[in-house]
Amino acid sequence: MHLHRPKATSAALQISEMDYLTHPSNPRPLRRADWNSKELLRKYSGMLQTCVSRGSLNDGMEIHAHIIKSGVHPDSHLWNCLVKVYSKCSSTWLPRKVFHEMPDRDLVSWNALMAGFVGEGNGDEGVLLFCKMWMEGIQQMGSFSPLV
């Protein structure tokens, strides 16, 4: 059986590309164990950025599911990309869910969540999040000038 190597043009096809590279019937399969963890995180991050630029919530959800199935442990950058894709692709509850699942939330995390809500026209929610962030002691104002 010969696998046909897909062209990676959408986020879903990029997942197919990753699966192809690791499939046992590939003439030169890569084992997931051979992949550098940072390389995988970078690949997933790039795919999520593609979803944000295309406004593709479904692809973002598919990539998120693939991340979970692959057993990769997201770093803070990948967590922030997940918040960004959900908040900028017209979802309201998913970015909050991911945000609350994050092991460590920092200024960038809060900014990703607020920027998504504000960018989707939900400024009131952005202001409420800003106040909550401030009450939790994250008070570096420099990064928030575009939002406030």
Side-chain angles (χ1 to χ4, degrees):
M1 178 178 145
H2 178 69
L3 285 180
H4 196 56
R5 186 176 184 159
K7 268 184 138 178
T9 56
S10 74
L13 286 176
Q14 288 179 21
I15 289 174
S16 296
E17 171 79 4
M18 288 175 70
D19 288 339
Y20 168 80
L21 291 172
T22 59
H23 197 278
S25 61
N26 178 348
R28 292 185 174 162
L30 293 173
R31 293 175 299 141
R32 287 203 194 275
D34 293 337
W35 286 27
N36 177 322
S37 163
K38 288 188 182 226
E39 181 182 342
L40 273 175
L41 293 173
R42 201 172 18 253
K43 204 159 189 56
Y44 282 125
S45 174
M47 290 191 295
L48 290 169
Q49 293 298 339
T50 300
C51 294
V52 169
S53 66
R54 292 181 178 174
S56 178
L57 180 61
N58 290 335
D59 280 348
M61 292 173 78
E62 188 174 338
I63 292 166
H64 189 182
H66 198 270
I67 291 168
I68 292 167
K69 288 177 192 171
S70 73
V72 170
H73 298 288
D75 62 1
S76 62
H77 178 74
L78 190 57
W79 279 111
N80 290 331
C81 286
L82 287 166
V83 169
K84 187 175 179 182
V85 76
Y86 286 136
S87 63
K88 293 214 174 201
C89 293
S90 302
S91 178
T92 54
W93 65 273
L94 282 170
R96 284 184 177 279
K97 181 179 185 307
V98 170
F99 183 79
H100 290 292
E101 290 174 1
M102 293 175 76
D104 299 307
R105 291 182 292 273
D106 59 11
L107 185 63
V108 176
S109 311
W110 283 94
N111 198 21
L113 187 62
M114 287 186 286
F117 280 113
V118 170
E120 289 298 312
N122 198 346
D124 292 342
E125 186 66 27
V127 171
L128 289 173
L129 286 167
F130 179 82
C131 294
K132 183 171 179 160
M133 179 202 67
W134 188 265
M135 291 186 318
E136 289 192 15
I138 299 176
Q139 302 172 353
Q140 295 176 347
M141 289 291 291
S143 296
F144 292 98
S145 54
L147 296 177
V148 181

